[in-house]
Amino acid sequence: MKYSLQSIAGFLLAFCLCSGPMAANGEVPLLTEDGFLVPQPGTTLTFPQDHGNHPDYKIEWWYLTGHLEATSGRRFGYQATFFRSALKSGGDGDDRGFGTSQLYLTHMVFTDESDENFYFEQRLSRDGWDAYSRQDWMDVRNGPWHLKMMDARTGKMKLQASVKSDLQWELELLPQKPLLRFGADGTSRKGPAPEARSFYLTFSRLETRGTVQIGDEELAVNGSSWMDHEIASSQLDPDYVGWDWIAIQLNDGWEIKAYLLRESDGSPSPFSALYWIDPEGQTHYRGEAEFSWDKSLTWRSPDTGAVYPNAPVIETTHPGSGRRVAFSFQPILDNQELNFPGATYWEGAGRVLDESGKEVGSAYLELVGYAGPIAGLR
């Protein structure tokens, strides 16, 4: 099966921008208009089974970002994202051997700070052809790329990744905090429609060790990673024009997940949110009015002309001290733009600085919708 660039772009945005009709009575419908399950408030999830795939929901992804350091002090960032999308509800298609009901899109990204190199590759495959994911266990593959949970008790995972023939990396990831599930009712709201919600699961700090091979050079690395697993069928409001998302790991054991969902006039949706995660793994919610996200520092892509606010300053109240704090994101490279026709976005690694300019952590930042209209957005 062959796929056009336009179909790849539309496929990518389908993960985040699928939406169905709003239920007239405001209640959460059981199904979308096209027959996919809607995440229900109060649903019990069972692990390790629910680390696997959920084919009765339209969209799902396992999303890893991380920061690595070699013994020489050389620093890297990486992203490994496995997307799954159901083409139709009701299970497998007519030709089960060719997997006509599920598609897998995967992005592999690697940033080499020292050499100022940025590598990325995407792969689109259909289920049963060159990709799969298990329903009862975290085991996702697309071509040579593979993410698998190795131990249900500890949550230990293994990632095998590469970018073309340029480099490859193999990592073991061990959770340092309990699995988090966002949303007071067990679902994460992303828009005004009652079905605009997801199951949003996060390992906010994963001890990471492994090897990176660049050309003939093999490096032992260690560091820290972040993983999101999100399951939905009708997640974002169709009037959104994009989003800004950040995952911050502070050196003192706290983390921050924050996202701005942008309305058509550029203003943040009231469903934007910030979450503090304390050293014990408890979350502390901040609504859209309780944090600020300054975008005054920007970078213009020489390839696309897009202007990205890729050095934001985020200000909010610390749950521990009650004091106002501000953190600045400093990208390790300005050019961490993933230039896919019809679905170009910026996602990259960076340092986190406090108000005195001291480095206090690391983060990954994602900026979508700044490179012009994205296929499938409206």
Side-chain angles (χ1 to χ4, degrees):
M1 180 183 291
K2 295 182 179 179
Y3 305 99
S4 68
L5 293 173
Q6 291 76 15
S7 69
I8 292 173
F11 175 86
L12 173 62
L13 267 295
F15 285 103
C16 300
L17 297 164
C18 292
S19 61
M22 181 181 293
N25 58 6
E27 295 180 357
V28 181
L30 292 175
L31 299 173
T32 62
E33 189 176 54
D34 48 357
F36 292 100
L37 291 177
V38 174
Q40 296 297 303
T43 299
T44 299
L45 299 181
T46 303
F47 300 99
Q49 292 90 333
D50 278 312
H51 289 309
N53 82 20
H54 300 77
D56 292 330
Y57 296 85
K58 184 172 180 62
I59 54 179
E60 183 167 17
W61 55 87
W62 298 261
Y63 205 119
L64 279 163
T65 56
H67 310 270
L68 307 172
E69 186 171 347
T71 53
S72 64
R74 191 171 173 181
R75 294 169 69 163
F76 310 99
Y78 81 92
Q79 171 197 344
T81 310
F82 295 82
F83 302 98
R84 177 196 62 78
S85 179
L87 298 178
K88 56 184 176 180
S89 60
D92 292 329
D94 295 332
D95 187 349
R96 293 174 183 266
F98 285 93
T100 56
S101 67
Q102 304 285 334
L103 289 179
Y104 290 88
L105 177 70
T106 305
H107 284 175
M108 288 294 167
V109 183
F110 197 86
T111 305
D112 185 340
E113 178 182 6
S114 301
D115 290 348
E116 297 188 352
N117 285 324
F118 183 64
Y119 307 86
F120 61 91
E121 183 181 0
Q122 75 172 355
R123 177 182 290 264
L124 180 62
S125 305
R126 52 182 170 172
D127 183 41
W129 182 256
D130 200 25
Y132 69 81
S133 60
R134 284 175 55 175
Q135 293 187 43
D136 60 342
W137 190 258
M138 184 192 297
D139 186 359
V140 191
R141 184 178 67 81
N142 193 348
W145 305 331
H146 193 195
L147 174 65
K148 184 176 182 179
M149 182 168 282
M150 309 302 292
D151 187 321
R153 182 182 62 84
T154 64
K156 184 178 181 179
M157 294 170 261
K158 185 175 182 178
L159 172 69
Q160 293 174 293
S162 61
V163 176
K164 302 176 183 176
S165 60
D166 297 317
L167 60 93
Q168 57 187 5
W169 63 104
E170 186 170 307
L171 303 174
E172 290 186 347
L173 308 109
L174 183 66
Q176 301 299 293
K177 292 188 177 183
L179 179 69
L180 300 172
R181 181 176 175 180
F182 292 93
D185 64 2
T187 65
S188 174
R189 292 294 304 276
K190 300 297 196 322
E195 60 269 43
R197 61 185 68 230
S198 67
F199 297 129
Y200 199 167
L201 309 171
T202 293
F203 285 114
S204 65
R205 196 174 291 256
L206 294 153
E207 179 184 341
T208 306
R209 299 182 184 278
T211 58
V212 173
Q213 184 164 342
I214 304 176
D216 295 330
E217 184 179 19
E218 183 171 289
L219 301 169
V221 294
N222 61 76
S224 185
S225 300
W226 179 297
M227 180 180 174
D228 285 339
H229 179 196
E230 197 158 8
I231 306 147
S233 290
S234 175
Q235 181 157 227
L236 297 188
D237 190 278
D239 289 333
Y240 294 158
V241 296
W243 61 89
D244 305 49
W245 171 93
I246 196 166
I248 298 173
Q249 294 175 321
L250 297 172
N251 297 338
D252 63 4
W254 289 77
E255 294 92 35
I256 297 173
K257 179 206 296 283
Y259 49 85
L260 293 180
L261 307 171
R262 303 195 310 276
E263 304 275 10
S264 57
D265 62 359
S267 63
S269 160
F271 291 91
S272 303
L274 180 148
Y275 293 90
W276 284 92
I277 303 161
D278 67 29
E280 287 71 45
Q282 300 299 310
T283 60
H284 307 264
Y285 169 77
R286 299 288 185 266
E288 179 268 326
E290 298 175 285
F291 68 98
S292 65
W293 189 306
D294 182 88
K295 302 184 181 186
S296 58
L297 297 176
T298 60
W299 170 78
R300 181 182 294 275
S301 167
D303 298 318
T304 65
V307 177
Y308 296 99
N310 70 339
V313 179
I314 296 172
E315 189 173 351
T316 189
T317 303
H318 195 293
S321 67
R323 294 182 178 180
R324 199 75 176 167
V325 293
F327 297 109
S328 303
F329 176 85
Q330 181 183 82
I332 62 175
L333 294 179
D334 273 328
N335 195 349
Q336 297 181 79
E337 180 184 48
L338 284 76
N339 188 358
F340 299 127
T344 296
Y345 65 103
W346 193 100
E347 177 146 8
R351 299 181 177 90
V352 176
L353 310 180
D354 66 11
E355 292 172 274
S356 71
K358 178 183 176 183
E359 184 174 345
V360 293
S362 55
Y364 248 82
L365 174 70
E366 180 180 74
L367 305 168
V368 175
Y370 290 98
I374 301 177
L377 185 60
R378 292 187 176 277

